[in-house]
Every structure is written in structure tokens, then in C-alpha cells.
Amino acid sequence: MTAPAAAERGRTLPFQPPRDYRLRDAYRRRVWRDPGSMIARDLLWVGIAMAGAGLAWDESAFMLLGAVVAGGALLLGALATLAANLRRVALVRGAPAVKGRLGRAKRVLLLHEFFRGRRERTFAIPYTFEVEGRRRRGTLWICGCARDRLTEGREAWIAYDPRRRRRSLPLRVANMIAPH
């Protein structure tokens, strides 16, 4: 294990802001996944299959359509990942945090993950927390390698955006690194 990876594994974030977290930190082998980029990855494979079928059938229009779908999926995936990580960085850096409780992980069925091992599949973990007496819910998509560390019923610090009810994030996953 390299020195930066070892330091990253031992790093903890304070439960109250300000927290030291950059966009680069959001991309470094994190276990979180975002729905937009995962769906774009499925569309990429569909586009590649369409282009391949068009090539095999000698149908240039079908091949071009597949190439356009694949190119659009690449662009959509890159933009979705950037947008999700910018939101995550803003939450981790400055959002207040409260104690919450993690729910049971559920498998997310994605086309490109059908033949992968359990550790590389995507799971959705619901969580709940209370703010000003109101119960809020959130869902986090994670890699299967982190599923065992985020067990059902476990308490976790949840960073939330007071202005946008739907934006929240368990702080623990901000430092979790995928081992694969």
C-alpha cells in the first residue's frame, strides 16, 4: 500500500464543518456511485452493441446510430459524474451533520454488471435522519465492496443541505476507498 493510500484510509472528517475536502478527493477510488453515470455506462454498452451489429449487418445507418448513442453516453456519464461529485464536495465541505441510521442494502440491477462478482456490483443503501423534528430519507449508491462496512441499523453522521431537502450524504463514505 502506498503512503498516500495509507494516509487516506486513516483519514477522518470532523462531523461539523468546515471540512477539508476537494474535488480530487471525491474522485480517488471512492466507493460511491451516482445513478446518472451508471445509467450512462449501460447506454454506452447498448451503443457499442448497436454499432457492432450495424457493422456486422453492413447497415451504416444503424452503425452510426450506435456510435451516436455511445458518444452521447460517454458525454452524459462524464457530466453526470462531475455534477454529482461537485454536489458531494459541497456537502462534505460545509454542510451540517446529524446522526442518522443506515437501512438495508438493495441490489441495483444494471446491464453492465450482470456478469460481475458480488464485490463489483452496485447496491443502494437507504438512510434516515431527523432535522428540526422532521424525518428525512436519502439513498446512497455504493460499490459492493463497501456493503459489509455499511451495515443495516448502523448509526452514521449524515451531512445534509438545509436548503435542499433531497441532498444529503453519509460522511463515512467520503473517505472510503474501493479495494479493487
Side-chain angles (χ1 to χ4, degrees):
M1 183 180 327
T2 63
E8 188 73 25
R9 285 189 193 279
R11 178 177 164 194
T12 59
L13 292 170
F15 67 92
Q16 292 301 336
R19 301 178 195 95
D20 180 32
Y21 203 79
R22 300 178 315 257
L23 185 59
R24 172 186 264 174
D25 296 325
Y27 276 100
R28 269 195 203 146
R29 296 178 48 216
R30 295 293 172 234
V31 297
W32 53 37
R33 305 213 170 141
D34 64 285
S37 67
M38 300 308 286
I39 292 168
R41 193 177 292 182
D42 275 358
L43 283 175
L44 173 67
W45 285 109
V46 168
I48 290 171
M50 288 172 64
L55 184 66
W57 295 332
D58 196 27
E59 290 287 334
S60 59
F62 201 65
M63 186 173 61
L64 180 62
L65 178 63
V68 168
V69 169
L74 280 173
L75 182 62
L76 176 69
L79 292 176
T81 300
L82 178 63
N85 281 339
L86 285 171
R87 286 191 303 267
R88 288 173 181 149
V89 167
L91 277 173
V92 171
R93 275 186 179 168
V98 295
K99 282 280 192 180
R101 190 159 304 278
L102 301 176
R104 183 172 170 235
K106 297 174 185 114
R107 170 87 193 280
V108 177
L109 295 176
L110 296 167
L111 180 66
H112 69 275
E113 293 182 348
F114 271 115
F115 302 108
R116 287 189 174 183
R118 185 178 181 95
R119 293 177 52 85
E120 288 87 25
R121 293 179 181 164
T122 299
F123 290 86
I125 296 184
Y127 54 90
T128 57
F129 59 100
E130 283 191 28
V131 176
E132 299 171 359
R134 298 185 79 195
R135 188 179 194 137
R136 292 190 183 180
R137 295 177 187 224
T139 303
L140 174 69
W141 284 26
I142 62 162
C143 178
C145 64
R147 183 174 166 227
D148 295 338
R149 291 186 170 85
L150 299 169
T151 56
E152 180 180 4
R154 184 178 189 161
E155 277 193 348
W157 286 103
I158 310 291
Y160 68 95
D161 188 341
R163 293 169 292 171
R164 293 189 176 98
R165 293 184 52 207
R166 309 246 336 149
R167 289 194 186 165
S168 59
L169 176 74
L171 282 174
R172 177 165 179 180
V173 296
N175 284 331
M176 292 179 84
I177 296 175
H180 49 84

